[in-house]
Amino acid sequence: TTTTTTSAPSHLRVMSEQKDQQEMNPDAAAGETMVPRIDSVERVASTKWLALDSYSYTSEDGKPRKWDVCNRTTSSKDCADAVCIIPLLRKKDDPTTVETLLVKQFRPPVERYTLEFPAGLIDKDETPQEAALRELREETGYVGELCSTPPQVSPEVCMSPGLTSESIHVVLVEVDLDNPYNQGTPKTALEEGEFVEVLRLPLKEGLKKVLDEKSTSEAMPIMG
């Protein structure tokens, strides 16, 4: 375990940029109190994927304070950490009937199975659209549309800001059921150690059913 100083993650970019602008233009900053602000970030411990950082910051009342934060070691200041994919499955001759996909997998932090939309980290030099199509193919076997109906990407959103700096894009991906790759039972491309059950269900009725039955189901729904 080591203790080092590291730069603040991506969700602090705006605050950092504002502080830099005020320092470059002291006249504009005169009389203004630059709080809240992050003063420093100290790395307490880390593993391959996660790091525990201690933030020193000044709160609105001008007092110095501390906050422990879990950060991804793969975070980049230039983009979000991951994508959450909402697949929209339909046939050309019946566009009003829409299905979606959920994945069921065991999550050690909650000690049970969860029901989630497909999701995954954005690789280096990868766009959110590319990450969404790749993760959808790997986790479910289904191939999303890229040209005819490009994936729709949400703004960068935070997940659990009281605990982590992780941010994601929610991506709507159209899946053409007339595509031969999406017929039958598409073959997944899971990584070693991944065990995923794919559920295909009607978008509106299916999601409502899953949430209504959460008290009796062994799988915990993910709201996000």
Side-chain angles (χ1 to χ4, degrees):
T1 301
T2 59
T3 300
T4 59
T5 300
T6 184
S7 59
S10 61
H11 74 298
L12 301 173
R13 290 197 306 270
V14 173
M15 185 178 294
S16 176
E17 290 169 358
Q18 290 175 341
K19 182 178 179 181
D20 290 341
Q21 291 172 359
Q22 289 174 325
E23 289 175 347
M24 289 186 294
N25 188 1
D27 292 336
E32 294 183 6
T33 305
M34 296 185 296
V35 293
R37 67 170 182 268
I38 303 300
D39 298 310
S40 65
V41 180
E42 184 178 38
R43 175 106 343 140
V44 177
S46 66
T47 63
K48 180 180 179 180
W49 299 108
L50 297 175
L52 175 63
D53 293 329
S54 179
Y55 283 44
S56 297
Y57 74 103
T58 302
S59 58
E60 288 88 342
D61 57 6
K63 294 181 179 179
R65 301 183 187 277
K66 295 278 191 178
W67 197 291
D68 293 334
V69 181
C70 178
N71 287 316
R72 289 192 178 276
T73 58
T74 54
S75 290
S76 168
K77 66 178 182 179
D78 299 321
C79 67
D81 297 296
V83 289
C84 175
I85 306 126
I86 302 180
L88 303 175
L89 286 62
R90 58 183 119 209
K91 294 182 177 181
K92 288 186 174 64
D93 61 357
D94 187 15
T96 60
T97 299
V98 185
E99 296 177 285
T100 194
L101 300 169
L102 295 177
V103 292
K104 179 181 176 182
Q105 56 188 320
F106 182 75
R107 293 296 200 182
V110 293
E111 302 181 24
R112 63 187 299 178
Y113 285 91
T114 61
L115 287 175
E116 314 171 27
F117 283 114
L121 296 177
I122 300 174
D123 288 343
K124 184 179 179 181
D125 299 325
E126 191 175 43
T127 67
Q129 293 93 331
E130 292 169 340
L133 294 172
R134 175 182 55 77
E135 286 289 349
L136 179 66
R137 174 70 181 84
E138 291 175 357
E139 289 196 358
T140 71
Y142 284 83
V143 177
E145 291 295 302
L146 175 61
C147 298
S148 60
T149 310
Q152 300 179 49
V153 182
S154 78
E156 187 175 348
V157 295
C158 57
M159 294 296 291
S160 182
L163 173 67
T164 177
S165 65
E166 182 182 37
S167 62
I168 69 166
H169 292 290
V170 178
V171 186
L172 294 177
V173 176
E174 292 281 346
V175 176
D176 180 8
L177 293 178
D178 294 316
N179 186 330
Y181 287 104
N182 296 327
Q183 296 177 358
T185 303
K187 186 177 180 180
T188 61
L190 299 174
E191 297 180 2
E192 194 279 328
E194 279 189 309
F195 305 94
V196 172
E197 178 184 345
V198 181
L199 285 74
R200 176 175 160 179
L201 62 169
L203 180 61
K204 292 183 179 180
E205 296 85 350
L207 290 179
K208 184 177 186 302
K209 182 175 184 295
V210 168
L211 296 176
D212 286 347
E213 294 183 357
K214 64 182 178 182
S215 59
T216 58
S217 172
E218 66 171 348
M220 178 185 295
I222 297 294
M223 299 299 288

